[in-house]
């Protein structure tokens, strides 16, 4: 194994061992082989340098999933740039904030967005990347390759934006050591082998699809069946030539409903992994009934990578639990002040280890709010821990909705709605949704005498907020329920509207 802390050097070493075998396969055709990884990333890294990307500079990327997008990520690591991927659903209003905050020297956007993104950019070079190997990023690729650079463990590899319960999105700074430690741990824990074949169905702008899924394959020299979207029948159709799948509970729910899902169809698969949102015990059981396979549920976060996992071997995968802390990761369950709660009692899960991020980009005060002096990060997830160490998530101390594996922070939606004319106040909640796990609902009170409507509110915020954050329903009411202290009782609203999407 390379002694270079650049995680890319470890991928390259595995690629050299893998030889001519495919890395990315799309529609049965090799889109990228391990043998080509060095040259292709070397050229692209040289291109990024020529565009002005120096070591430590940020590269902001908002493009569709494609093999070239994977190469771009790897080239950025190779060149020592800090990779900043953005959800393709973000609107230009959201993008403007990220560009201002990250101050990138290179920005890569979809060809169709070039003019709009160009208008937002104060500095830095803008290039495009299309879905079919087109785009100005790939023009003028130099013949010479940039060598895989030496990195220190604490050097930044990526910044991933994550919203907060207050204020604007924060950029979680992840170092090469953060990414590498988590990837090596998971490689061993989940038994990754070079003959594994991963079905990749996740977006590659979040921890799950970009790091957990791709790093596992890259470190092991395994092949990846690359799906750009999620079509349950197509995914099941790949099971016979694959061994692993990673997804969010919405994926598993849709797979379970597909008529093609049978025990026979899954017989070649060795592991189904779920995370990013709670997998209901019933969903776990329904999947097992149809396939004979027990999903392995794990738990993680942008700021920390993976924290706990149910066992792959040597223990039971218990539905409704997220398993045990990873080997080099320590967790404790604490009360609000940070003191550990009594054994077995619920409290906020705090975590420390080589996986824990280096802080929020240019927001030391936010970092300080969420880190204990001894280096434990406060996740905001409420959990219990059994005497044998097994963790069960039982709630959230943070006001957060998770829809289809994507985080929605009610505060951000409430601020957008409250700013509209005719709105006095709003409360945004998540209620059970059969497909997405939770569905976003806004409960809104009008200013005295003002006429507001569901359609009017949805229309007014549609240009500001990414589609997945927009409420599925807006309910106009006379008043919000409040407790004696005047605080809005969201729990009462969640109870009242729990059947809205039933
Ligand atoms: C799509 N829509 C969503 C949505 N995804 N709305 C709410 N929440 C979501 N997650 C919108 C679409 O814009 C569309 O709106 C409508 O819902 C129906 O879309 P669809 O075609 O059914 O959705 P689809 O494209 O199939 O996407 C669903 C999905 C996708 C589950 C495949 O959301 C997805 O890939 N989720 C995974 C997210 C992820 O990678 N999370 C990991 C975060 S990392 P309309 O009105 O236009 O029709 C993390 C750490 C960790 O959390 O531990 O892993
Ligand atoms: P993100 O900030 O987008 O990385 O989302 C992280 C959050 O997703 C965590 O803090 C949890 O609330 C949630 N999460 C991740 N995995 C699981 C899981 N297996 N079960 C329940 N919630 C999860």
């Amino acid at each position: 194994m390379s002694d270079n802390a650049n995680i890319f050097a470890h991928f390259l070493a595995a690629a050299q061992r893998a030889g001519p075998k495919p890395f990315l396969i799309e529609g049965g055709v090799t889109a990228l082989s391990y043998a080509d990884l060095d040259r292709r990333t070397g050229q692209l890294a040289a291109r990024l340098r020529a565009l002005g990307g120096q070591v430590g500079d940020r590269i902001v990327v908002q493009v569709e999933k494609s093999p070239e997008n994977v190469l771009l990520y790897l080239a950025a690591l190779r060149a020592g740039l800090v990779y900043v991927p953005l959800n393709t659903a973000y609107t230009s209003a959201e993008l403007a904030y990220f560009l201002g905050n990250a101050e990138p020297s290179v920005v890569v956007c979809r060809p169709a967005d070039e003019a709009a993104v160009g208008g937002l950019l104060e500095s830095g070079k803008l290039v495009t990347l299309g879905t079919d190997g087109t785009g100005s990023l790939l023009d003028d690729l130099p013949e010479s390759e940039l060598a895989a650079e030496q990195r220190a463990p604490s050097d930044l590899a990526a910044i991933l934006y994550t919203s907060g319960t207050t204020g604007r999105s924060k950029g979680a700074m992840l170092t090469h050591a953060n990414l590498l430690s988590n990837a090596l741990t998971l490689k061993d824990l989940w038994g990754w082998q070079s003959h594994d074949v991963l079905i990749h169905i996740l977006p590659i702008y979040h921890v799950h699809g970009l790091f957990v899924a791709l790093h596992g394959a890259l470190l092991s020299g395994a092949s990846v069946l690359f799906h750009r979207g999620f079509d349950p029948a197509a995914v099941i159709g790949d099971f016979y030539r694959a061994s692993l799948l990673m997804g969010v509970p919405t994926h598993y729910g849709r797979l379970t409903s597909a008529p093609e899902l049978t025990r026979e169809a899954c017989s070649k698969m060795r592991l189904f992994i779920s995370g990013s949102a709670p997998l209901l015990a019933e969903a776990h059981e329904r999947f097992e009934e149809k396939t004979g396979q027990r999903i392995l549920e794990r738990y993680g976060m942008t700021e920390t990578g993976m924290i706990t996992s149910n066992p792959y071997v040597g223990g039971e995968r218990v539905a409704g639990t997220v398993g045990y802390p990873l080997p080099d990761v320590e967790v404790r369950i604490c009360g609000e002040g940070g003191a550990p709660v009594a054994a077995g009692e619920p409290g906020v899960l705090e975590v420390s280890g080589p996986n824990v991020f280096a802080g929020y980009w240019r927001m030391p005060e936010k970092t300080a709010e969420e880190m204990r002096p001894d280096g434990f990060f406060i996740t905001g997830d409420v959990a219990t821990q059994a005497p044998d160490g097994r963790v069960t998530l039982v709630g959230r101390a943070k006001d957060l909705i998770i829809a289809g594996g994507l985080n929605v922070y009610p505060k951000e939606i409430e601020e957008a709605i409250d700013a509209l004319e005719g709105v006095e106040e709003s409360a945004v909640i998540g209620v059970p949704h059969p497909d997405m796990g939770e569905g976003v609902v806004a409960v809104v009170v009008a200013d005295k005498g003002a006429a507001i409507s569901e359609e009017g509110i949805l229309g007014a915020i549609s240009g500001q907020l990414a589609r997945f954050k927009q409420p599925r329903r807006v309910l106009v009411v006379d008043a919000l329920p409040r407790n004696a202290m005047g605080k809005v009782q969201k729990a009462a609203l969640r109870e009242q509207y729990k059947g809205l999407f039933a």
Side-chain angles (χ1 to χ4, degrees), residues 193-250:
Q193 301 291 333
S194 60
H195 53 254
D196 268 317
V197 179
L198 170 79
I199 304 179
H200 194 296
I201 53 174
L202 289 153
I204 50 175
Y205 39 69
H206 290 305
V207 166
H208 199 163
L210 186 62
F211 300 152
V212 187
L214 283 181
H215 290 181
L218 280 160
L219 278 184
S220 343
S223 295
V224 173
L225 303 180
F226 198 69
H227 289 238
R228 300 195 192 205
F230 178 58
D231 171 356
V235 170
I236 297 166
D238 264 350
F239 282 174
Y240 78 95
R241 53 176 175 175
S243 58
L244 263 144
L245 179 77
M246 289 185 197
V248 303
T250 299

Side-chain angles (χ1 to χ4, degrees), residues 19-288:
K21 73 185 282 202
F23 165 41
L24 300 179
I25 302 169
E26 218 181 356
V29 176
T30 299
L32 182 62
S33 76
Y34 275 107
D36 284 342
L37 199 73
D38 192 11
R39 183 181 55 83
R40 298 280 305 271
T41 56
Q43 281 185 322
L44 201 48
R47 169 78 169 134
L48 295 178
R49 205 48 111 243
L51 284 167
Q54 300 301 325
V55 174
D57 284 358
R58 275 76 55 214
I59 173 169
V60 168
V61 176
Q62 191 189 33
V63 301
E64 300 299 337
K65 184 175 179 179
S66 70
E68 290 74 20
N69 184 186
V70 175
L71 275 171
L72 175 60
Y73 165 57
L74 297 174
L77 291 175
R78 177 170 179 135
L81 302 191
V82 182
Y83 192 73
V84 188
L86 295 179
N87 191 322
T88 47
Y90 289 143
T91 62
S92 19
E94 291 166 312
L95 182 61
Y97 168 77
F98 295 122
L99 291 174
N101 188 258
E103 291 190 60
S105 67
V106 181
V107 177
V108 188
C109 72
R110 290 168 283 209
D113 296 343
E114 191 173 10
V117 177
L120 299 173
L121 212 57
E122 283 173 15
S123 64
K125 280 264 172 52
L126 177 65
V127 285
T128 61
L129 181 64
T131 50
D132 50 358
T134 57
S136 57
L137 171 71
L138 304 174
D139 293 346
D140 307 321
L141 277 186
E143 270 309 310
S144 59
E145 297 159 29
L146 188 82
E149 304 224 335
Q150 197 78 28
R151 294 268 70 81
S154 59
D155 284 347
L156 294 189
I159 294 177
L160 269 68
Y161 280 95
T162 156
S163 293
T165 38
T166 54
R168 306 305 302 260
S169 290
K170 301 164 289 186
M173 298 190 286
L174 296 159
T175 66
H176 281 267
N178 291 149
L179 300 185
L180 184 60
S181 67
N182 217 227
L184 289 172
T185 299
L186 296 174
K187 175 177 181 287
D188 286 347
L189 198 71
W190 294 340
W192 277 96
Q193 301 291 333
S194 60
H195 53 254
D196 268 317
V197 179
L198 170 79
I199 304 179
H200 194 296
I201 53 174
L202 289 153
I204 50 175
Y205 39 69
H206 290 305
V207 166
H208 199 163
L210 186 62
F211 300 152
V212 187
L214 283 181
H215 290 181
L218 280 160
L219 278 184
S220 343
S223 295
V224 173
L225 303 180
F226 198 69
H227 289 238
R228 300 195 192 205
F230 178 58
D231 171 356
V235 170
I236 297 166
D238 264 350
F239 282 174
Y240 78 95
R241 53 176 175 175
S243 58
L244 263 144
L245 179 77
M246 289 185 197
V248 303
T250 299
H251 290 124
Y252 286 103
R254 293 184 187 180
L255 286 171
T256 307
S257 303
E260 296 86 354
L261 189 80
T262 59
R263 199 171 270 259
E264 156 85 302
C266 299
S267 60
K268 288 260 170 46
M269 295 287 288
R270 75 166 175 90
L271 187 56
F272 291 93
I273 300 178
S274 174
S276 308
L279 181 71
L280 298 179
E282 307 88 83
H284 199 282
E285 278 143 25
R286 278 204 305 136
F287 190 82
E288 187 177 10

Side-chain angles (χ1 to χ4, degrees), residues 477-496:
V477 300
D478 292 337
L480 296 176
R482 294 194 128 81
N483 66 13
M485 311 289 289
K487 194 168 178 289
V488 174
Q489 290 181 298
K490 288 200 168 177
L493 287 174
R494 280 192 288 267
E495 179 58 27
Q496 184 177 354

